[in-house]
């Protein structure tokens, strides 16, 4: 059984069951609870979450990374999530049980404007911003990454789930190299789960 929901930002979204689990998909990509969840779990395994007391997630989707943090890693501290699309926020709540509480704050906002206008810092920032198969260009701009760096605690980490479009591969590498100039240990993992590139940057 598949439910279709229209979004002005993401186009046609589908909620469907696969292997006994509910998934959220766009026309060409898994948004939550499928390959995306496995990709972000791969990144989270590289982070020492015992030293993480605050997480910022840019791109909520159906909230599968929150489920992963809570259930697979027993992370119980504060999570703040930023999601542009109110339709997706509603889907996360009604279909997947992801809603605000004392340890989860959800901001309905453009991630670029959010990071530009906020000054609170975080131990872990997860950047998971794309529409269907594409990361919008503004999130591949060094100015955006300067804002991300300003929101990261000095010893904190960044996980970037990067675009799957081959045409932007050079830009992803340039972001990785840029982060290396900011005194980071930067690891780039290609073709994670046969899909995406993942960049992990850690404070030294």
């Amino acid at each position: 059984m598949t439910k279709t929901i229209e979004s002005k930002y993401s186009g046609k979204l589908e909620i469907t069951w696969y292997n006994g689990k509910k998934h959220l998909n766009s026309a060409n990509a898994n948004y939550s609870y499928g390959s995306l969840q496995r990709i972000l779990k791969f990144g989270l395994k590289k982070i020492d979450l015992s030293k993480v007391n605050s997480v910022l997630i840019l791109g909520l989707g159906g909230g599968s990374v929150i489920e992963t943090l809570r259930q697979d890693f027993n992370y119980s501290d504060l999570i703040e999530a930023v999601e542009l699309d109110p339709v997706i926020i509603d889907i996360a709540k009604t279909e997947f049980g992801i809603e605000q509480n004392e340890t989860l704050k959800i901001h309905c906002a453009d991630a670029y404007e959010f990071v530009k206008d906020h000054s609170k810092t975080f131990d872990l920032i997860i950047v998971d911003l794309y529409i269907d198969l594409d990361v919008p260009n503004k999130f591949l701009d060094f100015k955006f990454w300067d804002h991300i760096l300003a929101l990261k605690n000095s010893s904190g980490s960044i996980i970037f789930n990067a675009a799957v479009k081959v045409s932007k591969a050079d830009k992803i590498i340039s972001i990785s190299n840029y982060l290396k100039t900011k005194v980071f240990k930067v690891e780039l993992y290609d073709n994670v789960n046969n899909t995406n590139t993942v960049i992990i940057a850690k404070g030294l």
Side-chain angles (χ1 to χ4, degrees), residues 5-13 84-88 108 131:
I5 299 171
E6 287 290 334
S7 158
K8 76 172 186 176
Y9 294 108
S10 302
K12 186 170 75 171
L13 296 167
L84 174 67
D85 192 344
V87 171
I88 286 184
C108 186
I131 296 175

Side-chain angles (χ1 to χ4, degrees), residues 99-190:
E99 57 184 316
Q100 285 205 142
N101 55 43
E102 63 277 3
T103 58
L104 175 61
K105 186 172 183 180
I106 298 173
H107 306 267
C108 186
D110 181 291
Y112 193 100
E113 297 302 316
F114 182 90
V115 300
K116 185 177 74 173
D117 295 338
H118 282 68
S119 57
K120 178 181 175 181
T121 58
F122 295 85
D123 296 328
L124 173 61
I125 300 174
I126 299 171
V127 181
D128 190 29
L129 296 164
Y130 56 97
I131 296 175
D132 201 32
L133 290 177
D134 191 33
V135 176
N137 285 329
K138 65 182 179 180
F139 300 127
L140 301 175
D141 188 278
F142 290 163
K143 286 183 182 177
F144 171 73
W145 287 94
D146 284 338
H147 295 313
I148 294 289
L149 293 168
L151 295 185
K152 188 198 72 61
N153 289 337
S154 59
S155 60
S157 301
I158 299 166
I159 299 174
F160 176 32
N161 178 23
V164 295
K165 283 196 172 181
V166 175
S167 61
K168 293 189 175 178
D170 288 347
K171 192 65 179 172
I172 301 303
I173 291 170
S174 71
I175 289 170
S176 176
N177 290 335
Y178 184 68
L179 291 173
K180 288 176 183 176
T181 70
K182 302 297 179 179
V183 200
F184 280 96
K185 179 183 179 185
V186 179
E187 300 159 327
L188 189 149
Y189 299 92
D190 246 338

